[in-house]
Amino acid sequence: MGTLAALSAMRADTSSLTAAHPDHVFRPLPDVLGRWAAEGIDTSPFHAGAADAEQRYAGFGLSRMLPLDRVLVGCASSRPGAYGGFHHPDQGYRHLQMAAVVTMQGPMERRTPEHPSLALLDLLRAYAHDCLHYGSRRRYVDAAGVPVRTQYGINYRRVTGQSYSVADERGSHHTRNLGIVMEGACDREARSIARKAAERSGIAAPPGALGALAFRDVTGTLTEDDRLRAVSFPDSVERTRYAAALRNYEAGVNRRYAHFLGEFAPGEEHECHGRLLAAIISGDTTGLGAWLDDRHGPGTFAGLFRTPGYFEPDLTA
């Protein structure tokens, strides 16, 4: 089976993704939104936010958003205490299947979300985030009948598994890892989209410690106290785990990306961020590399990110 045929077969069957969550009921995103609307929930903040994202992303070169029916939402669960949202374990966009698996924010033993407006913002953040993953440049090769991704956005990987950039040291506050840079760029955009949707619709943080924390996370308004203070819920393992995952993602991705922008584009963070997103979508580092070279000298991109011993004669071919 060739690479394209193998990928097509994977994309025709997403059961392997939902099978990782046997306690949850998954439905396509349009179905979930329709069910919530039938229950009297105003779903317009999601739709307006998705339209904003499509218009904005077009400016970075994204020609097509992730189809809504390729987003599978875990909208109910038989597991006692199940708690969903952006930081639920083992979810997100899966490039081989070209589908996203997400969960309803909050307690999942319900027909509708505990805090509908927050759940809609959380879905919007996840969708806006995954649209950028979906639209990132990818390249695959056939390796003994198995499709292997050798390029994702502006990161590269040999068939042997060697990555262009290496993982950051544990506990590092900065990053030299392209996976973190790309993830941070995608989430910065997604949270901006969700924040604007909240402002436009007058959505405020819900009551309760975890709901308020999740709202600040979704809208990119976490405080320094949020980043430093662990939150625990003695009566709920899943809520405690969710709060820890939220905090770890903020420290390991968003704070590192913000530090990267401040380090290499002080006063020009917005410009650098936009150039990064355009490069991620096109897969072409030429413009981004030249912009960095103008500020930090020749070969800045490779000097920052390339693993010693990794040789790539033409990154943009």
Side-chain angles (χ1 to χ4, degrees):
M1 182 183 293
T3 302
L4 290 178
L7 289 170
S8 295
M10 291 179 184
R11 290 162 186 170
D13 181 9
T14 58
S15 60
S16 62
L17 303 182
T18 56
H21 305 281
D23 300 324
H24 299 349
V25 175
F26 285 88
R27 294 189 175 94
L29 178 54
D31 187 8
V32 171
L33 292 173
R35 286 170 179 263
W36 290 358
E39 294 284 345
I41 296 173
D42 178 12
T43 61
S44 62
F46 176 90
H47 295 294
D52 284 348
E54 183 172 16
Q55 183 177 25
R56 178 162 171 79
Y57 292 177
F60 300 124
L62 184 65
S63 60
R64 188 166 183 257
M65 299 282 277
L66 174 63
L68 292 176
D69 61 4
R70 300 297 293 178
V71 181
L72 305 175
V73 183
C75 54
S77 182
S78 61
R79 187 173 72 235
Y83 194 93
F86 186 83
H87 300 287
H88 186 280
D90 197 20
Q91 69 172 40
Y93 182 73
R94 301 294 182 256
H95 70 96
L96 289 173
Q97 292 85 4
M98 291 184 75
V101 174
V102 301
T103 48
M104 176 180 76
Q105 203 287 324
M108 295 180 65
E109 300 172 88
R110 305 169 51 96
R111 281 177 55 90
T112 56
E114 179 180 41
H115 301 300
S117 294
L118 173 59
L120 284 167
L121 290 180
D122 188 81
L123 278 181
L124 176 60
R125 185 251 194 110
Y127 178 67
H129 183 113
D130 289 340
C131 280
L132 290 170
H133 285 319
Y134 169 76
S136 299
R137 178 74 164 89
R138 296 179 300 277
R139 184 185 302 176
Y140 298 89
V141 299
D142 184 281
V146 177
V148 174
R149 188 176 66 184
T150 57
Q151 179 180 358
Y152 167 56
I154 55 176
N155 201 8
Y156 313 89
R157 185 181 299 274
R158 295 195 177 282
V159 175
T160 58
Q162 183 184 21
S163 178
Y164 185 82
S165 68
V166 297
D168 296 321
E169 293 183 6
R170 185 177 179 83
S172 173
H173 295 294
H174 71 268
T175 185
R176 297 295 184 268
N177 179 265
L178 282 169
I180 296 295
V181 168
M182 293 192 298
E183 179 73 4
C186 290
D187 204 46
R188 184 184 182 96
E189 272 301 305
R191 296 204 296 183
S192 174
I193 294 293
R195 183 167 60 252
K196 291 174 183 174
E199 292 169 354
R200 179 174 52 235
S201 299
I203 300 172
L210 187 51
L213 180 66
F215 177 84
R216 292 193 295 274
D217 174 55
V218 165
T219 56
T221 55
L222 289 170
T223 66
E224 192 63 22
D225 185 55
D226 291 329
R227 300 180 186 115
L228 298 175
R229 181 174 58 90
V231 179
S232 64
F233 299 86
D235 60 336
S236 175
V237 172
E238 292 216 20
R239 288 172 183 257
T240 299
R241 183 171 60 190
Y242 190 89
L246 183 158
R247 185 169 173 262
N248 289 339
Y249 185 87
E250 175 68 10
V253 175
N254 285 312
R255 295 309 300 165
R256 287 185 187 179
Y257 180 61
H259 189 278
F260 172 82
L261 291 177
E263 187 179 7
F264 292 98
E268 297 181 287
E269 291 91 343
H270 183 75
E271 174 72 13
C272 184
H273 171 70
R275 288 179 178 273
L276 271 164
L277 281 175
I280 290 167
I281 291 168
S282 69
D284 186 346
T285 61
T286 303
L288 173 64
W291 192 86
L292 289 170
D293 287 351
D294 284 346
R295 286 151 181 80
H296 304 288
T300 297
F301 183 89
L304 285 174
F305 298 115
R306 190 170 66 191
T307 304
Y310 187 103
F311 299 99
E312 178 65 70
D314 185 1
L315 296 179
T316 62

